[in-house]
């Protein structure tokens, strides 16, 4: 590992911004492999986005065909988001022992 990598690692640790994934990337990948890591993350994100938007475009006509279906879809989506928020709030306030 280069001296520059160690300095960056120490700087991140001292500022408290270091996550376990960042430390793994800095320690397990050499600088020659870093472009492959970055391009792999970019390509994976791009494929995920294209798949998500493509599937939405395919099903948009079916979902938007009726007003009642759209209303039900909106309420269901809101319920899913609300449940994620409640679970996150419970976990962040350490309220698991009360459940």
């Amino acid at each position: 590992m280069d001296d520059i990598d160690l300095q960056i690692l120490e700087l991140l640790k001292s500022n408290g911004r270091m996550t376990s994934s960042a430390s793994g990337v800095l320690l397990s990948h050499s600088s020659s492999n870093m472009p492959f890591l970055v391009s792999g993350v970019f390509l994976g994100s791009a494929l995920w986005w294209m798949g998500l938007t493509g599937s939405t475009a395919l099903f948009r006509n079916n979902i938007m065909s009726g007003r009642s279906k759209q209303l039900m879809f909106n309420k269901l989506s809101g319920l899913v988001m609300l449940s994620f928020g409640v679970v996150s709030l419970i976990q962040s306030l350490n309220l698991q022992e009360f459940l």
Side-chain angles (χ1 to χ4, degrees):
M1 187 179 274
D2 298 342
D3 289 334
I4 295 172
D5 290 340
L6 288 176
Q7 289 172 352
I8 292 172
L9 186 63
E10 288 301 318
L11 179 68
L12 289 174
K13 281 183 183 177
S14 65
N15 287 337
R17 297 182 193 161
M18 182 87 162
T19 62
S20 61
S21 61
S23 63
V25 167
L26 285 176
L27 294 176
S28 65
H29 295 285
S30 66
S31 59
S32 64
N33 291 336
M34 205 55 71
F36 294 113
L37 177 70
V38 171
S39 61
V41 169
F42 175 77
L43 289 175
S45 299
L47 285 173
W48 169 252
W49 184 252
M50 286 189 297
L52 190 65
T53 56
S55 63
T56 302
L58 287 174
F59 294 113
R60 183 164 79 184
N61 291 335
N62 293 336
I63 291 173
M64 298 298 196
S65 63
R67 180 78 176 142
S68 62
K69 286 183 181 181
Q70 183 181 5
L71 188 61
M72 182 183 70
F73 183 75
N74 287 342
K75 287 184 178 185
L76 183 63
S77 299
L79 184 64
V80 168
M81 288 188 280
L82 180 68
S83 63
F84 279 126
V86 168
V87 168
S88 297
L89 184 64
I90 289 172
Q91 289 178 350
S92 67
L93 295 176
N94 292 325
L95 299 176
Q96 291 97 345
E97 64 266 359
F98 296 114
L99 297 178

